[in-house]
Each structure stands twice: as C-alpha cells, then as structure tokens.
Amino acid sequence: MTLLKVIAVIILLFVWLSYRKSRPAEVSDLFVISFLLIYVPGFILNPSGGSNFNQLSMSAAAVFQAEISFLTVLCLISLVMLVRWAVEARFGWLNRVSAPLSARNASQWLAVGALCFAIAFFIAIIQFPDALAFRKDVFRFLTFQMGGIEHRILRNSGYSSSFVVASVLERARYTIFPISYCLIIYFLIEKRRFMATAVFSILFFIALPASLSKLPFLFYFGYIGVLLVSRVPQLHRAGWFLLFSLIGAALTIEALSILYAAQYKEAVIRGSVIPVDLAMQRIWGEPYSIIVRYFAVYPEILDFTGWGGVGQIAQIFGLPVRKPDIEVALSMLGPNNGSNPAAFFMSGYAAFGRVGLVLFSITGLFFLWAVDLVGRKLRFPHLKSVYVATMGMNVLFLNQIALQTAFLTYGLGIIPPVVLFLDYCVFAVERQSLSVREYLQIGSR
Amino acid sequence: MLLQTLLVALAVLPFAGAILAFPGEIMEFVFGESYGEVSGVMGFMVMSQIMFAFSLPWSNLYLMKNGETVYALANLMAAIFAFAVAFALAGTYSALAVAIASMLGNTLLMLFFWGLGTLEILGEEGK
C-alpha cells in the first residue's frame, strides 16, 4: 500500500510539474501545493490517523477505506490535470493568456476607489451597536487585553445572532475586503512606499476584516506575500511557490517544536517527549486523521447525510440541516470539541459516500480550472496580481472547508466575477489612452 | 537557482524524513542501543541540517561571485547567535540547548541568504 501511495504522489508531481513547465503559476497550483504539503505526509507516514494529540484508535476498515479514497482523489487530480493539458493543447484559445495592457493611472484610481469603499464600509458598519461592540472586542483581542475564557465565549457564541457581524462581516472578510486591501497595497508597493504599506495594513486590519481568531492574520500576511511574488515574473512559477511552501513548512515545524520544548520542559529533558516529533504530528498527523474520522463515522456510526449535509442546498429546499464537521467531532471526540472540517471533497463523502467523494472532487478540480481560465483572461497586470493573491490564498480553504462554503463564504465564487468586472471597467475607461501598439495587439486578436 | 534548491531539497528531505520518522531506530542501528535515547536531540539536529542545506545554493553563489565578505559575515553572525542561544539555554536544556542553538543559527543563516537572494531578484526586476 505504501508503495502504491508513493507511486500515486510521484505520478501527480510529474504530471503537474510537466503541465506547469515554463508557464507562470496559477491559482490551482497553490491548491495543489498546499494539498500535497498538508495531507500527503500524514497519508503516507501515519495512515491510522492516531496520534499523541487525539489518542484515537480507528477501525482497520475505516483506515483502509480512507487510504483507498485518498488514493482515488490523488489519481483524480492527476487525471483532471491530464484532461486540462489535452483539452488546452487541442483548443489553443483556452491556453492563451491575454497580452498585458498598461493602463497609465489605473492602479492609482483603483486604489483610491478601494480606499473610498473601505472608509464608507467602516463608517456604515459602526452605525450598528453590535458591530461597534465587536470592533472594540477585536481591538482588545489584538492588544492582548482579553482573557482566554472570555475570548472562547465571545468567539463561539458572542456574535452568532448579530446579522452585521455573522453575515455581513464574515462574508466580506475573505471576499471584498482582500480585493480592496490588495488594490490599495499594490499601488503603495508599486510606489515603493513600504513603510506606508505596513502602517496601512495594520489600520486596515483593525478597521475592517477584524476577527476574534488568528486565521485572518495568516491570510492577510499571505495576501501581501503572494502579491509581492506575483509581481515578479521570475519568481512567479509553480516551482518557486513549492519551494517557498517547503521552507515555510520547515519553519513552522521549528517554531512549534520550540514552543513544545518550552511547554513540556521536564518531559523533554527526561526524553519522554520529542518536540520535533510532536510538532510534525500536530502539523501532519491531525489533518489526515480528520479524513480517517469521516470514514470511521460514515456509515459505521451515522447514516450518510444526503442533501441535508450540503448546507446551502438543504436550506434552499427546506431539508433538515446536518453538519458533518460537527457530527464527526461529536461522534469521535465527544461534546465540546468544536468541529472537524476536512478537505472540500469530504462533504461529498459525508453526503453520498464514495460516489459523492468522486463527484465533489471532480467538480472542485474543474472549478479550479475555470478559476485559472479567468486569471488568463485578465488584461491588466495589477488586477492579475490582485487576483492571484486573493484567490491563491483563498483556495487554501478548500483544504479544510466544504466546497459550497468555500464558494460563497470564502469568496471562490465571488472574487472571479468582481475582478473580471474591474478588468472590464479599467479597459473601458483606459481604452483611449492605450498605446497604438497595444491597440494593434487588441485588433489582431 | 530554483532547480539547484529543489535538487538540494530532493537530496536532503527523504533522508531527513526517515531520520525524523524513526529517530530511535536509526540511532540504535548506527551507533548502538545506548544511543537510542538521544533521539530528541536528533530531531533538532536534523532540522538544523535541513536549514543549512536550504541556504547552500545562495551562499555558494555568493562565494562564486566574489561575495566572500558577505558569506563570512553571515556565518559569523549565525555563529555568535548560536553561541548566545546555547549559552542561555544550556543550564536548563543541557545537550538539547546546543541542538536548538544549532538549529536557530542555521535558520538565521538560511533566512539571511534567502532574503538577500530574493531582494536581488526583486531589485533586478525594478531596474
């Protein structure tokens, strides 16, 4: 089995890197890299899903089912990549990247527009008392003035009934806010105002996407990182992204192992706890373990959820809503253990078994292709960078959230039309100022 | 540079992964049973060597293009940093402190050379 897994991973790497050869990295590459880095080590080295953290012992049948299903997903990724390759070779227009156009002042007026939008949004939401209270709580959280218990209560249920916070802010946090943010900092970076970029980032983060969790920190750092890299053609390659991710993973292991060495000092000195081992289990043991848990729960403990487990569809058709991520956590870990969200295709498995897993995988992978095609059609380099930065980071959510949730709440279905619309607007406004050479380029297409 | 670093990663990571996955077994196999207990130290040493390996392509490039001063200063800075960390932690963590210090020193070295290399690429782009 291990040999089969290694072969499947090598085939996927070979197909992906061959397909990507000599072409700038695209959004789907960031998903492939993150998926491989997050899940494959656990899949190969710890297929049972048990670790020092969860103390779980799942049945051999569930472990085997998980292994077979994960192998299927790896093969599907390779297969869809091959289909993309073949179709793009046959229909060249799919493969064609729009020639970059230079709009003289577009990045400036888009930045001003985004800034006006951000200020208007901020003023609008502080009119609501619960949104204002939330902002104050976030400020206390960011300045370390909030205790652990209070934080847990506020984060889990404090604002769940507030429409502005739970619906508006939560949905804007990873959709229109990152677009505005990237449009503004692109302009600042272009003008080499690095200090202004840092100050603005802090102000923007406190004023708008504010959250009581640490995740947005990571993502907004990621938006800047990918935006910087995507501006440099030499670095904007799948290989560089893979390399940066590998180094990032190594640095994360180091940071966690040092934290564990400090936390379990006595045990580490005695030799009963190995910090690096513990850090690797935390980073790579848990994500794959959650996948195995789905196979231990469905259908061994609970029936498949059917459409009731696919959130938005259940709500539209008035079906009793079931939440697989919470059901898995409840069944495997007991009450008060939060949720166990897994990779996007697992909601398909929880709903319809192996067929659902295959259907959701294929849908998600073809959706990523569509996302890449949109990226190729953008005409202005700064909008392309903003698109790669926002979508490139947001596709990481596919590793731990259902496909339909990632589509709406995490912007995968919202950012492409918004950026395409901005691209069209810039083209319409700047049409007159495009150079003769660029006009000839457009005419020849 | 990308190819060189990926080749380094390809050469180092499988061995490093094996040592990290089976530290006790490998130590016992190579050095004998009495060394099996020091697998905690091994983890940090392996991470240290991974970081050093990642810094190699850029640091060697500096050596090849007459950047010996940068190379020497970076190594000196990492050595002083590692010595300070080892000295500060030795009382609490004994041998483990040296392993942690080595890892942090090599991480600093790697970040330094990577930062310098990436800035150079960004600088070339800005010209």
Side-chain angles (χ1 to χ4, degrees), chain A residues 331-353:
Chain A
S331 306
M332 299 304 295
L333 307 171
N336 302 321
N337 274 297
S339 65
N340 271 184
F344 70 93
F345 45 82
M346 289 315 292
S347 57
Y349 174 78
F352 308 111

Side-chain angles (χ1 to χ4, degrees), chain B residues 16-98:
Chain B
I19 299 174
L20 288 173
F22 311 104
E25 290 84 345
I26 288 176
M27 285 301 278
E28 282 175 26
F29 176 75
V30 178
F31 299 108
E33 274 186 23
S34 52
Y35 287 87
E37 291 170 8
V38 295
S39 50
V41 178
M42 273 295 278
F44 286 120
M45 293 309 290
V46 170
M47 290 309 297
S48 168
Q49 290 311 306
I50 290 176
M51 290 300 160
F52 185 69
F54 274 139
S55 73
L56 279 176
W58 287 111
S59 61
N60 284 354
L61 187 72
Y62 277 98
L63 273 184
M64 283 188 282
K65 61 175 195 182
N66 299 329
E68 293 93 343
T69 316
V70 177
Y71 183 87
L73 282 176
N75 277 281
L76 193 65
M77 175 186 69
I80 293 171
F81 178 70
F83 179 77
V85 174
F87 192 73
L89 296 180
T92 318
Y93 289 99
S94 61
L96 209 61
V98 181

Side-chain angles (χ1 to χ4, degrees), chain A residues 213-270:
Chain A
S213 84
K214 296 175 212 80
L215 193 65
F217 277 111
L218 201 70
F219 270 76
Y220 277 73
F221 271 122
Y223 293 136
I224 302 183
V226 182
L227 194 72
L228 276 173
V229 170
S230 67
R231 289 184 72 243
V232 185
Q234 203 182 332
L235 291 177
H236 192 189
R237 302 271 161 200
W240 278 108
F241 278 112
L242 177 65
L243 205 55
F244 282 129
S245 309
L246 275 176
I247 292 173
L251 288 174
T252 313
I253 295 175
E254 277 193 8
L256 258 188
S257 56
I258 288 172
L259 285 177
Y260 284 134
Q263 191 176 349
Y264 305 114
K265 198 163 61 183
E266 302 301 324
V268 168
I269 293 165
R270 275 201 314 273

Side-chain angles (χ1 to χ4, degrees), chain A residues 192-369:
Chain A
R192 306 211 163 243
R193 303 260 191 269
F194 296 113
M195 192 52 81
T197 305
V199 172
F200 172 76
S201 298
I202 295 168
L203 286 177
F204 186 92
F205 194 82
I206 292 173
L208 284 175
S211 163
L212 287 169
S213 84
K214 296 175 212 80
L215 193 65
F217 277 111
L218 201 70
F219 270 76
Y220 277 73
F221 271 122
Y223 293 136
I224 302 183
V226 182
L227 194 72
L228 276 173
V229 170
S230 67
R231 289 184 72 243
V232 185
Q234 203 182 332
L235 291 177
H236 192 189
R237 302 271 161 200
W240 278 108
F241 278 112
L242 177 65
L243 205 55
F244 282 129
S245 309
L246 275 176
I247 292 173
L251 288 174
T252 313
I253 295 175
E254 277 193 8
L256 258 188
S257 56
I258 288 172
L259 285 177
Y260 284 134
Q263 191 176 349
Y264 305 114
K265 198 163 61 183
E266 302 301 324
V268 168
I269 293 165
R270 275 201 314 273
S272 54
V273 165
I274 303 173
V276 177
D277 198 25
L278 213 55
M280 287 175 69
Q281 280 188 36
R282 179 71 190 85
I283 295 167
W284 285 315
E286 284 300 283
Y288 183 71
S289 167
I290 291 176
I291 287 196
V292 185
R293 286 174 214 172
Y294 275 70
F295 290 90
V297 172
Y298 304 105
E300 282 181 23
I301 300 174
L302 298 171
D303 290 334
F304 290 118
T305 62
W307 288 112
V310 186
Q312 281 75 12
I313 294 191
Q315 282 167 6
I316 290 168
F317 292 101
L319 297 167
V321 177
R322 285 178 64 183
K323 294 186 172 170
D325 52 338
I326 292 173
E327 287 183 355
V328 170
L330 262 176
S331 306
M332 299 304 295
L333 307 171
N336 302 321
N337 274 297
S339 65
N340 271 184
F344 70 93
F345 45 82
M346 289 315 292
S347 57
Y349 174 78
F352 308 111
R354 196 79 64 76
V355 178
L357 179 126
V358 171
L359 283 177
F360 270 56
S361 302
I362 291 177
T363 311
L365 294 168
F366 275 101
F367 168 70
L368 283 173
W369 188 13

